[in-house]
Amino acid sequence: MPLKRHSVQWPWQALLAVILLGLATGLWVATKRVNYEWRWERVPQYFAYRAEASQTAPVAGTVRGISTDGAYSRVEIVPEDGGPSVTVAVETDTLKVKAGDPVAEGDDIGAERHWKIGPLTWGLWVTIWISFVSGFIGLIIGLVTGLCRLSPNPTLRGLAVLYIELIRGTPLLVQIFIFYFFIGTVLNLDRIVAGVGALALFVGAYIAEIIRAGIQSIAKGQTEAARSLGMSTTETMIHIVLPQAFKRVLPPLAGQFISLIKDSSLVSVIAITDLTKSGREIITSSFATFEIWFTVALLYLLVTSLLSQLLFWLERRFARSD
Amino acid sequence: MIEVKNLIKVFEGRGQVVRAVDDVSTQVGKGEVVVIIGPSGSGKSTFLRCLNGLEEFDDGRVIIDGIDLTESKTNLNAVRREVGMVFQHFNLFPHKTVLENVTLAQRVVRKRKPAEANDKAMRLLTKVGISEKAGEYPSRLSGGQQQRVAIARALAMDPKVMLFDEPTSALDPEMVGEVLDVMKQLAREGMTMAVVTHEMGFAREVADRVMFMDAGRILEDAPPAEFFTAPREPRAQAFLKQVL
């Protein structure tokens, strides 16, 4: 009998399906019991909706004619004091005048509709760019701090250790409050700047530790080989150590960035309308509590899984030299 | 070419003080090939690493081509350019291709143009017999091939001196020959070389002088014919009895 056995997979896959089905049923039964009425149809309008803008007659005069072209109608108005005629385009189903009607200046003729992005889309965008900007600044802070942490200079080392310990030892929520109410007041910062600043400082401390570990994991022989060729400490860092360290820290860095996207939801406490705060605001007007929170969660999941895919792809690219 | 005066290197750790290099004075002339042998832990590798300042020594002076490493205004990086080093574990840069390994320092340190550096690299890779692997990453190469690339990398800087730190110790036996052949060719071309090795055959064939080190001191310094046939020191005699 060979030592390598092929275990049968399908009973376990079936069990997995049964468990997932059970969970879904449980969720359904639970919402039935609390008499919750699902209104999923209310959700899409918070992504994008058609806004109506009423169109008024620019001049007083008479409607000479209306030419309808499907959903659009063009209303031609002849001004009563002479001059060239004016046309106003409106949606056909909102048309409020007929040919020959007299109109005064400012009279409603109909409405024009256009797409507007809803609060969920807007909140998602705010979350994405806040995370991206603070992640980028955090990466720079982390790189500098990580290098200081390894510096032979006691001042730089001490400052780096102090910063890392302070940030890692306090909750992000408290840091955001301090940043906004204390530092923000002293330096007269905008709430967005305060929010991005707090997130960047927070993530920077964690990235610093990741970078330090990455640099320390590169074999000493690499530095020695580079130095023996006459490269300076800086040149060795830039050409030899950091590229190798970066490749190695990519997986933990990816985890940190995914955490950052989720942690960015905390800036909603200083009234930045990110995805979480948008969700809260929508609930106060729509009462679709469950649907909105599920949607918000799904949107976060979407962004984080896209990011992890991207970093996974980057990781494979870097693995070429292995 | 190399002048060493009263060199002392002390390692301290776990309550122990080890004098790895203990008051060593010697010199190596231009074009001379010196092989340093001795039991493990005798300080021969540490001594070699002191010669390009890779190891910060405690006392004494090392003078390379007239430049004193210990003098405060000496630019160590400038001296290291002139001193090539080959390591036991090759230490190729794994994230660079073979060609990039050989061109990187030329461009960064010697500020050569990419075309010039590539040209030089390909010439050296041909010389060590590995030009067909120029585009590969080091992880695809055998130990012997990697070590030959490492030699080409050091030679690309046009060094005046080459230091070899047990270049064949980490190799499979069948690959030792290809690396030694490259080193023999270098010696014939008149390169100044200091080689720490356990390859007695190489020492006998190529060396101008053999230094025997033990406990941080050079106990014997003689031409190979003399050293291998009639060693004076009892410890050298015991060592040779073990390895030959």
Side-chain angles (χ1 to χ4, degrees):
Chain A
M1 185 159 160
L3 198 58
K4 192 177 173 186
R5 266 168 279 175
H6 290 280
S7 57
V8 187
Q9 293 286 309
W10 70 264
W12 300 106
Q13 283 159 353
L15 182 63
L16 178 68
V18 168
I19 290 173
L20 291 181
L21 214 68
L23 283 175
T25 318
L27 197 71
W28 185 74
V29 170
T31 52
K32 277 284 167 215
R33 279 175 67 104
V34 295
N35 276 329
Y36 188 82
E37 204 179 316
W38 293 92
R39 293 194 187 88
W40 282 106
E41 72 280 358
R42 285 191 184 173
V43 175
Q45 58 172 320
Y46 296 110
F47 283 100
Y49 61 95
R50 303 209 65 174
E52 263 186 19
S54 66
Q55 299 287 310
T56 54
V59 290
T62 323
V63 176
R64 184 158 71 186
I66 301 172
S67 56
T68 301
D69 176 19
Y72 268 100
S73 290
R74 303 170 69 81
V75 180
E76 196 181 354
I77 300 165
V78 183
E80 59 190 9
D81 54 0
S85 62
V86 198
T87 42
V88 179
V90 296
E91 303 276 338
T92 307
D93 56 341
T94 60
L95 206 57
K96 284 181 181 152
V97 292
K98 296 194 295 289
D101 280 358
V103 287
E105 188 180 336
D107 272 4
D108 250 355
I109 293 175
E112 187 216 36
R113 294 202 192 91
H114 52 268
W115 283 102
K116 275 191 101 161
I117 57 166
L120 274 181
T121 316
W122 183 249
L124 181 66
W125 164 243
V126 170
T127 288
I128 290 173
W129 83 255
I130 282 190
S131 307
F132 182 81
V133 171
S134 50
F136 183 74
I137 301 173
L139 192 64
I140 295 169
I141 296 177
L143 185 64
V144 172
T145 314
L147 288 170
C148 286
R149 181 86 168 67
L150 293 169
S151 158
N153 183 322
T155 313
L156 290 178
R157 219 170 43 224
L159 283 174
V161 170
L162 183 71
Y163 159 65
I164 291 168
E165 290 306 315
L166 272 182
I167 296 292
R168 293 207 308 176
T170 51
L172 175 58
L173 189 57
V174 176
Q175 287 166 24
I176 291 174
F177 281 135
I178 292 178
F179 214 98
Y180 180 54
F181 289 114
F182 177 64
I183 302 175
T185 311
V186 172
L187 299 177
N188 198 16
L189 294 181
D190 182 59
R191 68 178 78 245
I192 295 275
V193 178
V196 169
L199 283 177
L201 271 185
F202 173 77
V203 79
Y206 285 86
I207 291 178
E209 282 296 88
I210 293 174
I211 300 257
R212 178 189 62 83
I215 291 174
Q216 281 179 331
S217 77
I218 302 303
K220 223 170 149 249
Q222 290 291 309
T223 314
E224 286 181 352
R227 298 307 301 276
S228 79
L229 289 165
M231 288 194 211
S232 69
T233 329
T234 319
E235 287 162 351
T236 305
M237 255 308 156
I238 291 172
H239 294 286
I240 306 302
V241 179
L242 283 181
Q244 293 183 57
F246 185 69
K247 182 174 134 189
R248 217 168 275 188
V249 300
L250 212 51
L253 222 48
Q256 198 59 55
F257 282 130
I258 285 167
S259 287
L260 175 67
I261 291 174
K262 296 181 291 172
D263 290 339
S264 75
S265 65
L266 287 173
V267 297
S268 60
V269 297
I270 55 171
I272 293 174
T273 313
D274 73 329
L275 185 51
T276 303
K277 185 152 191 298
S278 296
R280 270 213 320 251
E281 283 172 0
I282 293 165
I283 287 164
T284 56
S285 64
S286 71
F287 302 107
T289 318
F290 291 7
E291 294 88 333
I292 295 298
W293 282 130
F294 277 124
T295 308
V296 166
L298 265 174
L299 287 173
Y300 275 113
L301 191 64
L302 186 76
V303 177
T304 50
S305 40
L306 277 179
L307 181 68
S308 63
Q309 281 303 312
L310 183 78
L311 286 158
F312 181 62
W313 172 81
L314 215 62
E315 227 174 282
R316 267 187 323 199
R317 254 188 69 107
F318 278 129
R320 264 185 328 172
S321 59
D322 288 337
Chain B
M1 186 60 82
I2 307 176
E3 212 179 334
V4 182
K5 287 179 187 164
N6 305 100
L7 185 68
I8 293 178
K9 168 72 191 177
V10 182
F11 284 115
E12 283 174 70
R14 297 195 213 99
Q16 288 185 38
V17 176
V18 180
R19 296 175 82 84
V21 180
D22 195 359
D23 197 16
V24 167
S25 298
T26 187
Q27 74 283 318
V28 179
K30 190 169 166 58
E32 209 173 5
V33 177
V34 174
V35 171
I36 304 159
I37 60 173
S40 60
S42 60
K44 50 194 191 310
S45 279
T46 309
F47 169 67
L48 195 74
R49 290 157 55 87
C50 285
L51 296 183
N52 67 351
L54 220 48
E55 209 74 67
E56 292 176 345
F57 44 88
D58 294 81
D59 204 4
R61 294 169 70 183
V62 173
I63 299 157
I64 303 281
D65 199 24
I67 302 165
D68 193 338
L69 293 193
T70 48
E71 229 164 85
S72 58
K73 64 174 189 288
T74 300
N75 178 359
L76 257 187
N77 296 328
V79 179
R80 287 193 184 123
R81 268 175 230 174
E82 317 294 336
V83 183
M85 185 153 192
V86 176
F87 299 86
Q88 181 178 358
H89 295 287
F90 334 129
N91 299 353
L92 291 182
F93 307 133
H95 62 302
K96 304 262 179 204
T97 62
V98 165
L99 185 68
E100 287 165 346
N101 262 279
V102 185
T103 54
L104 179 69
Q106 292 190 63
R107 286 190 288 110
V108 174
V109 180
R110 291 275 192 214
K111 311 284 179 213
R112 285 179 191 151
K113 299 238 159 30
E116 190 191 352
N118 275 0
D119 222 45
K120 174 113 193 159
M122 285 314 291
R123 268 210 312 281
L124 286 166
L125 287 173
T126 310
K127 181 173 173 179
V128 299
I130 203 151
S131 54
E132 75 279 7
K133 300 275 187 187
E136 295 274 16
Y137 283 97
S139 55
R140 299 285 188 84
L141 270 55
S142 73
Q145 292 172 326
Q146 289 194 42
Q147 193 60 297
R148 283 186 281 151
V149 173
I151 293 173
R153 178 177 70 175
L155 288 175
M157 302 300 287
D158 297 317
K160 294 177 179 142
V161 181
M162 284 285 283
L163 309 176
F164 292 84
D165 187 3
E166 303 201 25
T168 56
S169 298
L171 296 179
D172 290 338
E174 77 266 27
M175 291 168 184
V176 170
E178 60 191 63
V179 173
L180 289 182
D181 284 343
V182 172
M183 292 168 63
K184 284 174 195 166
Q185 191 191 343
L186 269 182
R188 275 198 302 275
E189 288 167 4
M191 176 63 78
T192 310
M193 290 162 67
V195 185
V196 170
T197 186
H198 296 293
E199 295 296 327
M200 296 304 150
F202 175 82
R204 213 187 291 237
E205 186 184 336
V206 184
D208 296 307
R209 278 158 58 206
V210 176
M211 285 185 199
F212 176 76
M213 272 187 89
D214 193 23
R217 288 169 179 276
I218 296 177
L219 295 182
E220 193 150 351
D221 183 346
E226 196 175 310
F227 177 80
F228 285 107
T229 48
R232 280 171 284 120
E233 276 287 321
R235 264 185 284 182
Q237 291 165 2
F239 176 76
L240 284 178
K241 203 177 280 173
Q242 293 282 327
V243 296
L244 290 181

